[in-house]
């Protein structure tokens, strides 16, 4: 028995225990005798009393609680199956099926839910029953179908077994049809608006991230919440709505624009039955897909482990793909793993060992990169670092500057976020300056996850070795000004905000003329189209002037240093 049993007399508890002995004909809602027993007990204890009945007609659970508070056994339904049991319970104050009854039917995927109305004398009155409808059912506004109420003596006339078989066949047939058409994960997007002016832009960006990761976005919602719910962020009612959306749209993925804690993600998954990820996990997944070089792969794995560490601890065998083999490299030094050590401690050491290994590997890569930078410095070749928001067109601009139309010099340029992660350098030429090196860096994004910022810090620090920054802005994108400011904040955090900078307002051919004019006036940027090769001459002139100014400043500094040395001599 489940529910709040406090205050019940021994005779009442005995009557509840006797419900386990009741059997009904398989495939039926219940029996007149069971309906009478439930009504009398519910009237006696003045609470809702319910029983779970399996498909063989056995009572498998008795609860003194409403439908939402009823404890269910471990659900065994698959993607195309229902739970395998139905709920029959009594309403001591009368009334048809409640919202909680119908929500429980849907969320638990019950075969059916039935409510027995109890009159003032404790006798059963009308019996109300509802069952689910297949996703996409034409003419159904809800996720369920409510049958006409019947008298208690008619409760065993409805063939629930046939209804369940037909429903599962229809669900399976619809799932096969959808599976044949589905080649990507179908996702629901949720962005919480806490009063930010750019909440709509953030939702659009979340959609772009999901598309880049390979998901098909079938629904997106901006939810206003000034105060977030501790466990689920948006509350149980909104999660129920999202679950219903996913059911009808055949979605299996729920993506939040806010970072979720481990407990929050688990609670939302338990409430919806969907795979739940947040924006940080989405970005990490994109980085993992696009990482090509050794350094990029190491940095991405390091960021993933740092983010997942609190979520992986205690995950058991799932960590086997992270740790090394046996011996000291696999899980700590020999002789330190006593029989009393817990699995949690072993998991923690395995993660920490892998983190240490990755950090050492990246230190070696950093040393090699420093040697290459020193080599460039000895050659005295000016370096121009191309920075900007992800998908602003940096790689396309690099290809246009260096005439790298074909492999192997061509840099990957796609209409996706974070299409390139590895810093790429190419030689170019600027009139009046001569040979220069253009370096394409990893794209920036607002609120870049701290684990990624830390992992890519060594890569981003290479920006500081440049003579001039070329800040590429997508002038055609909504919120171009906020994206420019987001990049500037990251540059400021790295200490590069005061470096000589030229702003290129890329994709100017697709920008709103008034918005473009405002950005030109606000930033002094140069409108260009890297794809159509327009405005590049003016941009090169501006870069040449900036490099020349840096060279003049360097010559003046060297001349001043020589004068100081001569004065001392």
């Amino acid at each position: 028995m489940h529910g709040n049993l406090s205050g019940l007399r021994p005779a009442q508890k005995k009557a509840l225990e006797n419900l386990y002995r009741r059997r009904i004909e398989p495939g039926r809602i219940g029996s007149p005798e069971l309906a009478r027993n439930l009504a009398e007990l519910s009237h006696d204890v003045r609470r809702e009393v319910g029983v779970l009945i399996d498909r063989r007609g056995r009572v498998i659970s008795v609860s003194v609680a409403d439908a939402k508070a009823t404890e269910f056994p471990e659900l065994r339904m698959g993607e195309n199956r229902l739970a395998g049991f139905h709920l029959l319970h009594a309403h001591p104050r009368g009334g048809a099926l409640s919202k909680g009854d119908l929500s429980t039917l849907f969320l638990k995927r019950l075969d059916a839910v039935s409510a027995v109305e109890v009159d003032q004398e404790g006798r059963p009155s009308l019996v109300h029953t509802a069952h689910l409808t297949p996703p996409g059912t034409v003419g159904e506004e809800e996720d369920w179908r409510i049958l006409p109420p019947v008298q208690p003596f008619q409760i065993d006339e409805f063939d629930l077994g046939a209804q369940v078989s037909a429903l599962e066949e229809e669900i399976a047939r619809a799932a096969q049809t959808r599976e044949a058409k589905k080649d990507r994960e179908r996702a629901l997007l949720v962005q919480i608006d806490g009063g930010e002016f750019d909440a709509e832009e953030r939702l659009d960006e979340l959609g772009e991230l999901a598309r880049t990761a390979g998901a098909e976005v079938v629904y997106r919602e901006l939810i206003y919440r000034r105060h977030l719910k501790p466990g689920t962020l948006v509350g149980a009612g909104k999660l129920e709505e999202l679950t219903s959306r996913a059911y009808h749209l055949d979605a299996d993925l729920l993506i939040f624009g806010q970072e979720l804690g481990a407990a929050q993600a688990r609670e939302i998954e338990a409430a919806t039955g969907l795979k739940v990820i947040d924006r940080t996990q989405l970005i990490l997944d994109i980085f993992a897909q696009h990482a090509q070089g050794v350094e990029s792969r190491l940095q991405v794995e390091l960021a993933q482990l740092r983010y997942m560490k609190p979520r992986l601890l205690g995950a058991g065998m799932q960590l086997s793909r992270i740790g090394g083999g046996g011996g000291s490299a696999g899980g700590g030094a020999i002789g330190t793993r006593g029989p009393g050590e817990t699995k949690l401690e072993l998991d923690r050491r395995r993660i920490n060992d892998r983190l240490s290994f990755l950090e050492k590997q990246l230190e070696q890569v950093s040393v090699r990169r420093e040697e290459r930078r020193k080599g460039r410095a000895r050659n005295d070749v000016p370096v121009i670092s191309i920075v900007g928001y992800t998908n602003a067109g940096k790689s396309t601009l690099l290809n246009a500057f260096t005439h790298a139309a074909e492999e192997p010099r061509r840099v990957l340029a796609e209409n996706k976020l974070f299409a390139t992660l590895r810093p790429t350098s190419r030689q170019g030429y600027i009139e009046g300056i001569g040979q220069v090196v253009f370096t394409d860096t990893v794209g920036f994004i607002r609120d870049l996850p701290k684990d990624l910022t830390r992992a890519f810090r060594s890569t981003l620090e290479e920006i500081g070795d440049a003579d001039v920054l070329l800040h590429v802005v997508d002038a055609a994108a909504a919120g171009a000004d906020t994206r420019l400011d987001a990049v500037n904040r990251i540059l400021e955090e790295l200490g590069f905000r005061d470096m000589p900078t030229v702003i290129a307002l890329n994709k100017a051919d697709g920008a709103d003329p008034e918005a473009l004019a405002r950005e030109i006036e606000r930033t002094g940027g140069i409108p260009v189209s890297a794809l159509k090769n327009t405005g590049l001459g003016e941009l090169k002139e501006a870069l040449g002037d900036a490099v020349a100014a840096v060279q003049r400043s360097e010559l003046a500094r060297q001349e001043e240093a020589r004068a100081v040395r001569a004065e001392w001599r």
Side-chain angles (χ1 to χ4, degrees), residues 135-193:
T137 303
V138 178
E140 298 287 349
E141 296 182 1
E142 302 289 353
D143 305 310
W144 46 77
R145 182 179 299 136
I146 300 176
L147 304 177
V150 299
Q151 295 294 333
F153 62 84
Q154 297 174 305
I155 191 172
D156 55 357
E157 294 181 3
F158 179 67
D159 192 347
L160 179 62
Q163 171 61 38
V164 168
S165 297
L167 182 57
E168 288 190 334
E169 286 179 11
E170 199 170 344
I171 292 174
R173 185 164 54 249
Q176 290 174 358
T177 303
R178 291 192 304 270
E179 195 63 34
K181 297 178 181 178
K182 188 168 76 172
D183 57 350
R184 294 183 293 170
E185 285 186 277
R186 295 166 65 84
L188 309 181
L189 306 186
V190 173
Q191 177 69 42
I192 298 175
D193 177 8

Side-chain angles (χ1 to χ4, degrees), residues 211-379:
R211 183 182 68 85
T212 301
E216 179 183 357
V217 177
V218 295
Y219 179 76
R220 60 177 69 194
E221 184 170 355
L222 188 65
I223 301 174
Y224 179 78
R225 285 286 189 280
R226 177 66 68 180
H227 303 290
L228 300 181
K229 301 289 184 181
T232 61
L233 297 186
V234 295
K238 178 56 68 175
L239 288 184
E240 189 176 315
E241 290 179 24
L242 293 170
T243 306
S244 178
R245 291 275 185 185
Y247 179 71
H248 288 288
L249 296 173
D250 190 32
D252 43 23
L253 180 61
L254 181 58
I255 304 176
F256 276 81
Q258 281 67 27
E259 183 168 329
L260 300 174
Q264 289 174 324
R266 284 194 298 268
E267 189 166 341
I268 295 172
E269 283 183 352
T272 62
L274 302 171
K275 182 169 74 172
V276 177
I277 65 173
D278 60 16
R279 179 177 180 269
T280 300
Q281 286 174 281
L282 191 60
I283 293 175
L284 287 170
D285 183 78
I286 294 170
F287 272 62
Q289 287 184 48
H290 294 174
Q292 295 178 356
V294 173
E295 181 182 9
S296 295
R297 292 196 188 98
L298 289 173
Q299 287 175 327
V300 168
E301 186 181 353
L302 183 63
Q304 285 179 317
L305 277 178
R306 280 173 172 162
Y307 176 78
M308 296 300 292
K309 181 178 176 180
R311 295 160 173 80
L312 288 176
L313 290 179
M317 294 305 294
Q318 295 176 15
L319 299 178
S320 59
R321 59 185 174 85
I322 297 175
S328 60
I334 295 175
T336 62
R337 294 169 291 172
E341 188 168 36
T342 66
K343 185 68 173 70
L344 185 65
E345 289 167 337
L346 288 171
D347 292 345
R348 182 179 288 113
R349 184 176 313 117
R350 189 175 296 133
I351 296 173
N352 289 335
D353 285 351
R354 184 63 179 171
L355 285 170
S356 299
F357 171 77
L358 292 172
E359 287 167 350
K360 289 178 182 177
Q361 291 291 309
L362 282 171
E363 285 176 8
Q364 297 175 11
V365 172
S366 180
V367 169
R368 293 194 292 270
R369 191 197 301 114
E370 182 65 26
E371 291 173 352
R372 289 198 300 270
R373 291 209 301 254
K374 288 179 179 178
R376 284 204 302 265
R378 285 194 296 270
N379 293 333

Side-chain angles (χ1 to χ4, degrees), residues 517-557:
R518 286 196 300 270
E519 284 303 302
I520 293 174
E521 183 178 357
R522 187 174 80 94
T523 65
I526 299 169
V528 301
S529 173
L531 196 61
K532 296 185 177 180
N533 286 320
T534 58
L536 299 187
E538 185 180 353
L539 181 58
K540 278 192 173 183
E541 286 182 17
L543 288 171
D545 292 343
V547 172
V550 170
Q551 291 176 335
R552 288 194 299 271
S553 176
E554 178 63 20
L555 287 174
R557 188 191 64 79

Side-chain angles (χ1 to χ4, degrees), residues 102 315 355 485:
L102 296 170
L355 285 170
D485 294 340

Side-chain angles (χ1 to χ4, degrees), residues 15-94:
L16 288 170
E17 291 176 358
N18 289 336
L19 290 175
Y20 282 104
R21 300 190 180 94
R22 297 286 184 261
R23 291 184 66 90
I24 66 171
E25 183 182 347
R28 303 296 165 178
I29 292 292
S31 66
E33 182 185 9
L34 181 56
R36 186 178 65 254
N37 292 151
L38 287 174
E40 291 172 351
L41 271 172
S42 180
H43 179 73
D44 191 23
V45 302
R46 300 185 183 279
R47 302 180 208 168
E48 292 188 25
V49 177
V51 291
L52 281 177
I53 304 171
D54 67 12
R55 293 180 182 174
R56 296 169 63 182
R58 301 175 302 176
V59 173
I60 60 173
S61 175
V62 178
S63 295
V64 182
D66 60 17
K68 280 200 167 184
T70 298
E71 294 188 31
F72 294 89
E74 185 176 349
L75 302 182
R76 62 181 182 84
M77 74 276 193
E79 183 180 352
N80 304 325
R81 296 190 60 188
L82 301 178
F85 44 77
H86 65 277
L87 174 65
L88 175 64
H89 67 303
H91 285 179
R93 295 180 182 85

